[in-house]
Amino acid sequence: MFNKRVKVKDLLSSAETGHEVTVMGWVRTFRNNQFIALNDGSTNNNLQVVVELGLLNEATLKRITTGASLKVTGQVVPSLGKGQKVEVKATALEILGDSDADKYPLQPKKHSLEFLREIAHLRFRTNTFGSVFRIRHSLAFAVHKFFNDKGFVYLHTPIITSSDAEGAGEMFRVTTLPFEDTPRNEDGTVNFKEDFFGKSANLTVSGQLEGELGAMAFSEIYTFGPTFRAENSNTTRHLAEFWMIEPEMAFYDIEDNMNLAEEFIRYLIQYALDNNREDIEFLDQRLTEEEKQKPQNERSELGLLQKLEFVLNNNFERITYTQAIDILLESPHYKKKKFKYDVKWGIDLQSEHERYLVEKHFKKPVIVTGYPKDIKSFYMRLNEDGKTVAAMDILAPGIGEIVGGSQREERLENLEKRMAEMHIPVEEMSYYLDTRRFGTVPHAGFGLGFERMVQFVTGMTNIRDVIPFARTPKNCEF
Ligand code: 4AD
Ligand code: MG
């Protein structure tokens, strides 16, 4: 059998010695024609393989280069080297795949994150990305565990849809119509009746509307899937393709919603700390190094581990939009005219405003509720004041908005009125309104941007570095 191998992580975490094992992996370094640092992606810690003089001929030794893949059989022995308890004394070594040292782009030295983005197909083999993607995996697993343990139903909402859930219109079209000789109506517009679905279709921006349909039967559902936004935002927090978790709960009001979101975020952090301690410690050190390059006043006050522990041990601040505006207006920052965008009641909070609230004023995650209805989506529940809606955004240090959610408008007349005002096609959305016609209930939900959550837990500053292959404006490699 080929694959009777031991994983490096398991080998290194046991102190047992004397037995024979087979290990496989990729060479990180090879020193003195004798010491191989072998890595198989299970941990950042390499296994030291010792090749004794005379075991291999000169030609084979030359083929043990950085990036080459090996199968090694040998005896587990106590290690004299520092940093590891055991190592493997090779008795047989097979080169599974050569790696031309002159051409292999990953050298055993520090590469910039920008450079590694260009070779994203190989960057998994670095310590930084090894840690980031093992943590990403853990968080994805924890998402399912959290909701499963609470009895939520995982609902697969469609990727291709004909609705614009957010009413924001930033969608990628899905079509099989030809670019040339496109079928047209008499008035010159494209005739989508000829298209694959017989109507205009797009990639989903959110699974929420379908999620609500599920919640009206199962009480509590969640979605976890890719979503797509054609917003031309070239920032460290926006992707054109990102993953979102959207729970939707019947019999919840806005406060229940906030409580769940807060508990969820804490749970994910705790899960990563319990299961990925080593990787988080590695990234903590990486971040400290990176911060040293910055001027003193731009450095974060807390290290990564400290920040995560702080969030675990402190409640999120809860304020209304109106309070947020007042804080901003009274801030020294505003008085010294340091905000680029104007502050007054009714504005959409810009990321500079969000960051001020979270990083300078409260210095902890903040939940903002009660936004003006005109800057939020049609489905949010109108508050008694008639001006604001039961929306909630969670803002996190270093990230800004990490969660967006609301209590939904469950009253049919209110919803129809709002849809008409916002030019949402009521007829096409009749299926959605049915939930309000037949047994409507108070309900609420939110969306957590998965990559922003991974950024928060890993401390990575650019969102392109927490998704395997980023899709951003003018960039769709791999
Ligand atoms: O605030 P958003 O647009 O809310 C919704 O889509 C609702 N339907 C959610 C709901 O109530 N079920 O997006 C939710 C979250 C944001 O807070 C942010 O974390 C993330 O999704 N997000 C993005 N992440 C990466 N790249 C983008 N372009 C993102 N746009 C939103
Ligand atoms: Mg939002």
Side-chain angles (χ1 to χ4, degrees):
M1 192 161 60
F2 184 71
N3 202 356
K4 204 171 174 188
R5 72 180 174 113
V6 179
K7 286 205 178 188
V8 169
K9 183 178 181 184
D10 297 332
L11 197 60
L12 292 180
S13 60
S14 147
E16 202 190 321
T17 54
H19 55 300
E20 192 190 75
V21 293
T22 297
V23 290
M24 298 181 213
W26 293 266
V27 176
R28 285 283 174 90
T29 56
F30 185 33
R31 287 186 295 119
N32 300 348
N33 262 353
Q34 206 181 358
F35 303 107
I36 304 169
L38 195 72
N39 190 285
D40 67 357
S42 56
T43 163
N44 276 348
N45 299 318
N46 302 320
L47 173 70
Q48 172 146 294
V49 173
V50 184
V51 185
E52 295 206 322
L53 244 56
L55 177 75
L56 302 171
N57 60 33
E58 198 60 30
T60 310
L61 284 173
K62 280 218 172 78
R63 290 170 63 199
I64 305 177
T65 53
T66 300
S69 49
L70 307 183
K71 173 179 180 181
V72 179
T73 302
Q75 204 189 14
V76 183
V77 296
S79 177
L80 301 175
K82 65 172 165 67
Q84 73 245 344
K85 281 189 279 222
V86 298
E87 61 190 32
V88 167
K89 198 166 99 188
T91 49
L93 184 149
E94 189 187 326
I95 294 178
L96 299 174
D98 289 286
S99 171
D100 184 337
D102 294 332
K103 294 191 182 136
Y104 188 57
L106 283 176
Q107 295 305 318
K109 61 159 200 174
K110 237 184 153 47
H111 293 291
S112 75
L113 295 174
E114 289 77 11
F115 170 71
L116 292 172
R117 246 168 253 153
E118 286 168 21
I119 51 161
H121 57 303
L122 293 171
R123 67 179 178 169
F124 298 124
R125 296 189 192 183
T126 64
N127 283 339
T128 298
F129 290 96
S131 291
V132 166
F133 290 110
R134 278 188 298 270
I135 292 171
R136 183 180 166 112
H137 157 77
S138 266
L139 290 173
F141 186 81
V143 165
H144 289 295
K145 183 155 169 49
F146 177 80
F147 288 114
N148 181 64
D149 288 354
K150 284 187 178 294
F152 282 53
V153 169
Y154 177 30
L155 196 72
H156 292 105
T157 51
I159 306 274
I160 301 176
T161 155
S162 57
S163 82
D164 171 8
E166 288 304 298
E170 290 165 326
M171 302 177 299
F172 289 101
R173 190 182 290 289
V174 176
T175 181
T176 53
L177 288 180
F179 283 115
E180 281 160 34
D181 298 324
T182 315
R184 299 205 175 261
N185 301 312
E186 277 174 12
D187 63 0
T189 56
V190 174
N191 181 5
F192 285 107
K193 290 214 175 68
E194 302 265 312
D195 204 349
F196 187 89
F197 297 107
K199 58 181 351 191
S200 141
N202 51 271
L203 294 178
T204 187
V205 294
S206 156
Q208 180 197 320
L209 300 191
E210 292 92 349
E212 283 186 59
L213 311 181
M216 289 303 119
F218 298 108
S219 308
E220 294 167 321
I221 64 93
Y222 71 104
T223 72
F224 184 6
T227 46
F228 307 86
R229 299 205 183 168
E231 36 189 353
N232 199 2
S233 309
N234 239 318
T235 78
T236 54
R237 305 177 311 128
H238 287 89
L239 290 168
E241 174 180 298
F242 65 99
W243 287 65
M244 183 156 52
I245 299 115
E246 295 183 277
E248 190 69 34
M249 299 76 62
F251 321 114
Y252 265 57
D253 67 10
I254 186 78
E255 202 180 327
D256 300 317
N257 202 23
M258 286 192 272
N259 293 344
L260 183 74
E262 196 171 332
E263 184 190 342
F264 180 40
I265 290 176
R266 284 227 181 80
Y267 180 91
L268 294 180
I269 294 172
Q270 186 69 60
Y271 191 89
L273 285 173
D274 291 345
N275 293 277
N276 301 79
R277 187 90 199 176
E278 218 175 70
D279 285 323
I280 293 176
E281 278 168 3
F282 174 82
L283 292 171
D284 179 84
Q285 279 175 13
R286 198 201 75 83
L287 197 65
T288 309
E289 288 299 312
E290 193 183 86
E291 292 267 301
K292 280 185 193 154
Q293 318 291 322
K294 291 187 188 166
Q296 191 83 38
N297 63 342
E298 282 174 30
R299 292 184 203 166
S300 359
E301 286 170 31
L302 301 179
L304 178 61
L305 263 170
Q306 287 173 313
K307 178 188 80 178
L308 296 176
E309 267 150 19
F310 179 84
V311 172
L312 278 183
N313 297 323
N314 290 278
N315 287 335
F316 296 5
E317 196 70 36
R318 296 185 183 190
I319 58 167
T320 64
Y321 169 90
T322 303
Q323 287 169 325
I325 293 290
D326 288 344
I327 291 169
L328 292 172
L329 286 175
E330 275 156 35
S331 68
H333 216 75
Y334 177 78
K335 290 179 181 152
K336 286 188 208 142
K337 298 197 186 344
K338 280 197 188 160
F339 289 122
K340 204 170 131 215
Y341 293 89
D342 195 19
V343 181
K344 61 169 190 259
W345 201 95
I347 60 152
D348 205 354
L349 294 180
Q350 297 297 321
S351 99
E352 57 171 353
H353 304 138
E354 297 177 343
R355 295 190 76 144
Y356 181 85
L357 290 168
V358 171
E359 285 156 32
K360 296 271 183 313
H361 190 83
F362 289 111
K363 297 183 194 282
K364 54 152 85 166
V366 177
I367 312 184
V368 184
T369 52
Y371 283 82
K373 67 177 201 279
D374 294 332
I375 58 168
K376 288 288 184 186
S377 300
F378 71 91
Y379 51 70
M380 297 188 177
R381 193 177 198 277
L382 193 65
N383 285 328
E384 308 241 300
D385 60 15
K387 291 193 309 194
T388 61
V389 287
M392 62 160 208
D393 277 4
I394 303 187
L395 315 176
I399 308 283
E401 181 190 331
I402 192 163
V403 162
S406 67
Q407 185 172 338
R408 317 307 188 191
E409 183 55 83
E410 84 282 13
R411 299 160 295 189
L412 182 64
E413 314 78 67
N414 282 16
L415 187 57
E416 282 176 333
K417 184 161 166 268
R418 204 65 201 121
M419 286 170 83
E421 279 169 10
M422 294 177 82
H423 309 290
I424 310 280
V426 178
E427 278 102 81
E428 270 173 48
M429 303 270 294
S430 178
Y431 71 89
Y432 180 69
L433 291 167
D434 268 357
T435 53
R436 276 65 170 176
R437 291 188 185 111
F438 308 120
T440 192
V441 294
H443 65 288
F446 62 84
L448 171 73
F450 187 56
E451 284 74 21
R452 293 193 187 170
M453 187 67 208
V454 181
Q455 273 191 284
F456 190 73
V457 175
T458 58
M460 299 301 284
T461 38
N462 196 314
I463 199 165
R464 292 165 179 79
D465 296 330
V466 299
I467 189 163
F469 303 105
R471 271 77 183 96
T472 50
K474 302 277 178 287
N475 169 45
C476 191
E477 297 303 313
F478 310 103

